[in-house]
Amino acid sequence: MSATTQGSGVPVCPRCRSNTTEVRGVSPVAGVWTVYGCDTCFYTWRSTEGEQNTNPDKYPEVFRLKPENLPKLQVAPRIPPLQPKAQ
Amino acid sequence: MRAYQDFREFLSVLEQQKQLLRITDPIKLEPDMAAASAAATKLGNRSPALMFNNIAGYQNAQIVTNVHGSWANHALALGMDPETGVRDQFLEFVRRYRMFPGQLERVTSAPWQEVVIDKDINLFEILPLFRWNQGDGGFFIDKPCVISRDPDDWNNDDVENVGVYRLQVKDKNHLGIQTVPQHDIALQLAHAEARGEDLPVAIALGNEPIITLMGATPMLYTQLEYKMAAVMQGQPYRVVQNAKGLDIPYGSEVVLEGRILARKRQPEGPFGEFPGYYSGCHQYPLIEIDRMLHRKDPIYESVYVGRPWTELDYLQALTTSAPIFDQINATFPEVQAVNALYTHGLVLIVSTKVRYGGFAKAVGLRVLSTPHGLGYAKVIIVVDADVDPFDLNQVMWAMSVRVNPAGDVLMMPNLAENLLDPACQPSGMVTKMIIDATMPVPPDTRGDYGEILETPMGTDTWLQKLEALTKELQK
């Protein structure tokens, strides 16, 4: 297993380095590309993109995210209080 | 004035007018789509739409970009001569805008009902999705018309909404949506979430060009975009109502039906945005897609967003200028025109007749209290009626000789601003400025202006003559 893949062969997320990734889709013409997605930070990438988008070690520092910081992101729009149900 | 039945009819008109370029070379979605579309924006006033049909990984996919990406294409969208200048397009846009409202025409079927998918939807395999800018958090659908109704006033057509909101494709059938608090859909979502209910939405992709322009126009909450589209095209606007009661344009290529999930937020972004900077990452609402309908071999449309100018700047040029003009002209009929072409009106230029000293500054202040001015207008330049606000040579002349900064620059600290403006301090707040570039009139007696130079008598006649002769010369 390399630094950039999980045991199943699905890569770790280049952006947040979580293992919560899966194949989202494959090219209709077989074997051209695979699209992966992360269920932690929702980063999406295509296997044929450059290393800055696909390799966690080459992913630009400025765009990296830490899973523990995701709940602290600004919420917009705010969620309003629930209205009491009419009887 | 012209009504295009659907997206394909408009593309065929662009092609007839030599305003559509077919790219048949093989391309990779990344980085070719962004590179080619960014390059197209640098071709000037006659920049064509680009149509790609040889895309790595697909048999039949077709992608079109830059559909609104030049003044020529913008004029054709409005059914005008492609040579029409910006000022004339503005005046015509305003003329039609003031004919609001037009009519809806409901029909029972549309070409986008040809193919229906209601299980195992995988957006990544059906649509040729791709990344625009390298730091984008994923693949974005960025030129959709999102249709929704107000759960507190469901059957009122006038508060149905059509808006262009960016959508991040999160997984096979989920989309993130940016609904900043100033957007109409944010109000409807708040009503649904207060009830604890999902908000039904329909998302129309690949639309005839007018409804996209209307979706990008900051009109009033009670003004339905379809009724504005009807006056813009000079005919009732044709829609098909779905089972939820949402009206969907007849002329779309693809329709996604789903729900914004109540009281749920999820990481979204970043996305390269209209100010020419990435937007950052936020917790935004989430849409679940239940059903997808499309024409056979649908044409997918997207808009490149980069450092201005890009297609996006054409989309939000007159659609921003016209509502602001209409609103301030209603208070001050002296106002002649508004140029809000620059970065969605963060900077804008107003031309006005000046009734007395200080009048121009009051016009500038009025801009700040329009709905769009509240969240966008930051630097306002007011010029006299003899200056064309769309001609920057004239505007810079006025700035050069009609401004004395000692008395003509007003700074107003801590006003509200769109959080996407990177100059905000803190986010959502900014200092705004009015520059009075009009000539002082009594009782304002500043300066020593003397007599202004007139255009020599007969210039207009000579201009026509020289234009004709120049055309001959170029044959």
Side-chain angles (χ1 to χ4, degrees), chain B residues 1-68:
Chain B
M1 204 178 295
R2 172 166 181 177
Y4 295 102
Q5 176 166 285
D6 57 22
F7 189 49
R8 294 181 192 201
E9 185 184 0
F10 185 56
L11 295 182
S12 70
V13 168
L14 290 180
E15 190 155 36
Q16 284 160 18
Q17 295 282 339
K18 300 185 177 169
Q19 284 299 122
L20 182 141
L21 203 54
R22 289 182 184 270
I23 311 291
T24 54
D25 291 349
I27 64 128
K28 287 173 72 177
L29 288 161
E30 299 88 9
D32 290 335
M33 286 303 305
S37 302
T41 68
K42 299 183 188 304
L43 294 174
N45 284 348
R46 295 296 302 235
S47 174
L50 303 181
M51 186 161 193
F52 304 86
N53 67 357
N54 189 354
I55 300 159
Y58 290 95
Q59 289 286 6
N60 299 316
Q62 303 175 85
I63 307 177
V64 184
T65 67
N66 213 43
V67 168
H68 292 81

Side-chain angles (χ1 to χ4, degrees), chain A residues 15 22-30 32-33 35 37-46 48-49 52-53 59-60 63 65 70-85, chain B residues 28-30 56-59 122 124-125 129-131 134-139 168-172 179 181 186 189-190 193-196 263-267 269-270 278 281-285 419:
Chain A
R15 182 163 77 166
E22 66 164 20
V23 172
R24 304 287 202 214
V26 295
S27 52
V29 174
V32 180
W33 45 253
V35 171
C38 172
D39 284 333
T40 298
C41 76
F42 299 96
Y43 180 68
T44 304
W45 71 103
R46 192 186 321 274
T48 49
E49 289 188 85
Q52 284 209 320
N53 282 104
Y59 193 79
F63 294 120
L65 291 173
L70 296 175
K72 299 177 203 161
L73 295 171
Q74 185 185 357
V75 174
R78 71 180 187 88
I79 299 172
L82 265 178
Q83 277 171 1
K85 294 246 187 232
Chain B
K28 287 173 72 177
L29 288 161
E30 299 88 9
Y58 290 95
Q59 289 286 6
N122 187 341
F124 291 103
E125 293 179 356
L129 304 167
F130 57 91
R131 187 188 318 280
Q134 199 173 46
D136 288 354
F139 305 167
Q168 181 180 348
V169 184
K170 296 292 193 63
D171 63 29
K172 294 168 185 174
T179 61
L189 179 62
E193 292 193 317
R195 293 159 171 258
R263 312 182 72 78
K264 189 167 174 62
R265 301 289 184 269
Q266 203 176 65
Y278 287 103
C281 222
H282 301 85
Q283 291 275 351
Y284 278 167
L419 55 81

